Amino acid sequence: MIPFVDLRAQYNSIKEEIAEAIQSVLNHSSFIIGEELKKFEEEFSRFCDVKHAIGVANGSDALFLSLRACGIGKGDEVITIPHTFIATTEAISNVGGKVIFVDIDSKTYTIDVYKIEEKITERTKAIIPVHLYGQPADMDPILKIAKKYNLKVIEDAAQAHGAEYKGRKAGSIGDVACFSFYPAKNLGAYGDAGMVLTNDDEISEKVKLLRNHGRITKKYEHEIEGYSSRLDNLQAAILRVKLRYLNGWNDKRRKNVEVYNKLLSEIDEIILPFEADYAKHVYHLYVIRTKERDGLREVLNSNGIATGIHYPIPLHLQPAYQYLGYKEGDFPIAEKTSQEILSLPMFAELTDEQIKEIVREIKNYY
């Protein structure tokens, strides 16, 4: 059996450091908005070369609170892609905004920058480019459009820990950026956790207020109505340990990709992942394309090789978004992609032997 992600293997490689970090938090018995969180915020902001980092409860909250802090509200339009996890669009809807979809690029699967401007109206307030599968969107054209129309750029970097765009870390480029530390991410907690990054002092202070019931310092003194969305000290302590290994884990992912690509390049029926010349891809997911996706997936699963589909139904065709009035054919690249993509096992501890076994079964299928 080859798992899709092997969290146990990762844990076993650092279990003593994790145990020590957890025990330290237990000994101090400070669990909410404490020293471990402060240190992790400082370390992650340094890692991403950003001025402010604000820990929150999860990646979905990071998006929601960022939109709120940017002043996005009822009736405001926010542009993003239909080929992403629903958390991206839920955040827009939950602040009262309207989701405006733009189709994706056929190679990178990130937002097609040439189709953004035609969707801008007087109600447009922000763009959320999604750094999908570990590869940043093409940010320079997005920033140029945003400047022209006075729009906020909110990076959805939930799958891009350590990725780079023209030498700059994902999360350091837009007005604000959002990370998830869901356990299976390249940098994952042992539960839910998220982070907001920004170089903007005002946005930073607003997110800090919003995450903690509208207060920063004095207990029971609330400047605004807020929410309960805090990254707890236990998760922060765990993430501090794992952050030290992130670059090495990402390098191992990239080496695994080299092995995959070399072996799979012999199969004409498969389209390999594309890495843009502007990007350093960190391969949160290794996603191939084939017209025979469902048949291949069934054979792999029957031979003990776990796979995934990210994502099988574009958001504009989801029941949850029927009210937006989109129909099949509105975003043809996203729709075609959703029928052909297949995510193969990808994690730092994946061995060459496991990759060869996976490829062997794929070759046998074809």
Side-chain angles (χ1 to χ4, degrees):
M1 175 69 184
I2 300 177
F4 188 65
V5 177
D6 193 344
L7 297 180
R8 186 177 291 107
Q10 184 190 80
Y11 167 67
N12 285 336
S13 71
I14 54 173
K15 63 190 302 181
E16 292 179 4
E17 292 173 79
I18 292 293
E20 185 178 334
I22 291 173
Q23 190 60 56
S24 176
V25 174
L26 296 175
N27 288 343
H28 288 94
S29 295
S30 174
F31 301 107
I32 304 294
I33 310 285
E35 193 64 24
E36 289 294 329
L37 174 59
K38 181 181 177 182
K39 288 178 180 177
F40 178 56
E41 289 172 334
E42 292 170 351
E43 290 161 3
F44 195 65
S45 65
R46 257 196 320 273
F47 177 82
C48 294
D49 194 24
V50 176
K51 189 175 179 181
H52 302 290
I54 308 100
V56 296
N58 51 63
S60 298
D61 280 6
L63 286 159
F64 172 78
L65 297 177
S66 294
L67 285 161
R68 279 289 317 272
C70 287
I72 310 301
K74 188 173 182 180
D76 292 336
E77 294 178 354
V78 180
I79 292 171
T80 193
I81 57 173
H83 186 64
T84 181
F85 185 56
I86 195 172
T88 310
T89 48
E90 279 178 330
I92 299 168
S93 301
N94 286 338
V95 298
K98 182 180 180 182
V99 179
I100 303 296
F101 288 121
V102 167
D103 211 348
I104 59 173
D105 178 83
S106 61
K107 289 184 176 181
T108 64
Y109 314 130
T110 58
I111 194 166
D112 186 335
V113 296
Y114 298 105
K115 295 178 180 176
I116 295 174
E117 200 160 4
E118 65 190 44
K119 296 297 181 75
I120 294 173
T121 73
E122 61 183 13
R123 295 181 297 279
T124 308
K125 294 295 188 294
I127 304 169
I128 302 182
V130 181
H131 302 325
L132 200 71
Y133 302 156
Q135 174 156 242
D138 191 358
M139 292 300 293
D140 281 349
I142 295 169
L143 295 173
K144 186 176 180 180
I145 292 169
K147 184 176 181 180
K148 180 178 178 180
Y149 293 96
N150 193 29
L151 308 177
K152 295 293 187 184
V153 175
I154 300 169
E155 297 176 68
D156 184 339
Q159 300 182 8
H161 313 72
E164 295 180 9
Y165 175 80
K166 297 183 179 180
R168 299 174 64 187
K169 284 284 175 61
S172 69
I173 304 163
D175 295 285
V176 61
C178 308
F179 284 85
S180 165
F181 301 117
Y182 186 77
K185 303 295 187 185
N186 291 35
L187 179 62
Y190 291 158
D192 276 318
M195 186 77 82
V196 175
L197 297 182
T198 184
N199 287 311
D200 187 301
D201 296 345
E202 187 176 337
I203 290 175
S204 173
E205 289 306 303
K206 189 70 178 290
V207 173
K208 286 179 182 177
L209 279 171
L210 289 169
R211 74 169 174 181
N212 192 27
H213 300 291
R215 71 180 180 88
I216 292 181
T217 52
K218 292 184 180 179
K219 197 171 184 179
Y220 305 126
E221 186 176 316
H222 309 273
E223 295 183 30
I224 60 173
E225 287 185 314
Y227 307 90
S228 178
S229 181
R230 300 166 300 215
L231 197 166
D232 68 71
N233 274 0
L234 274 171
Q235 297 301 342
I238 290 163
L239 288 163
R240 288 187 67 208
V241 172
K242 297 179 82 174
L243 180 59
R244 298 197 289 268
Y245 293 91
L246 179 57
N247 282 333
W249 288 337
N250 283 343
D251 288 344
K252 185 60 169 64
R253 285 174 181 266
R254 289 175 58 82
K255 288 177 182 175
N256 287 341
V257 169
E258 290 178 10
V259 178
Y260 261 132
N261 286 351
K262 182 179 179 181
L263 297 175
L264 289 173
S265 63
E266 304 167 11
I267 306 174
D268 294 337
E269 294 89 347
I270 285 177
I271 298 173
L272 300 177
F274 174 79
E275 183 171 16
D277 57 8
Y278 58 69
K280 179 181 179 181
H281 198 322
V282 293
Y283 294 95
H284 169 59
L285 297 168
Y286 182 81
V287 182
I288 63 171
R289 283 179 68 175
T290 172
K291 289 183 172 22
E292 300 179 51
R293 187 267 308 281
D294 294 339
L296 175 59
R297 188 184 194 208
E298 185 177 336
V299 166
L300 290 175
N301 289 352
S302 68
N303 282 280
I305 298 169
T307 60
I309 301 174
H310 302 86
Y311 299 90
I313 305 173
L315 292 177
H316 69 287
L317 299 180
Q318 292 278 0
Y321 291 112
Q322 283 184 346
Y323 73 92
L324 290 176
Y326 291 111
K327 63 185 185 304
E328 193 170 341
D330 283 344
F331 305 102
I333 305 301
E335 291 169 28
K336 187 175 192 298
T337 298
S338 71
Q339 299 301 309
E340 297 179 353
I341 49 173
L342 183 66
S343 302
L344 300 181
M346 173 52 68
F347 47 94
E349 297 77 19
L350 190 67
T351 66
D352 288 0
E353 289 70 29
Q354 287 175 313
I355 295 173
K356 288 175 183 176
E357 182 180 341
I358 294 163
V359 173
R360 188 161 51 247
E361 293 299 338
I362 294 174
K363 287 182 175 179
N364 286 342
Y365 174 81
Y366 285 105

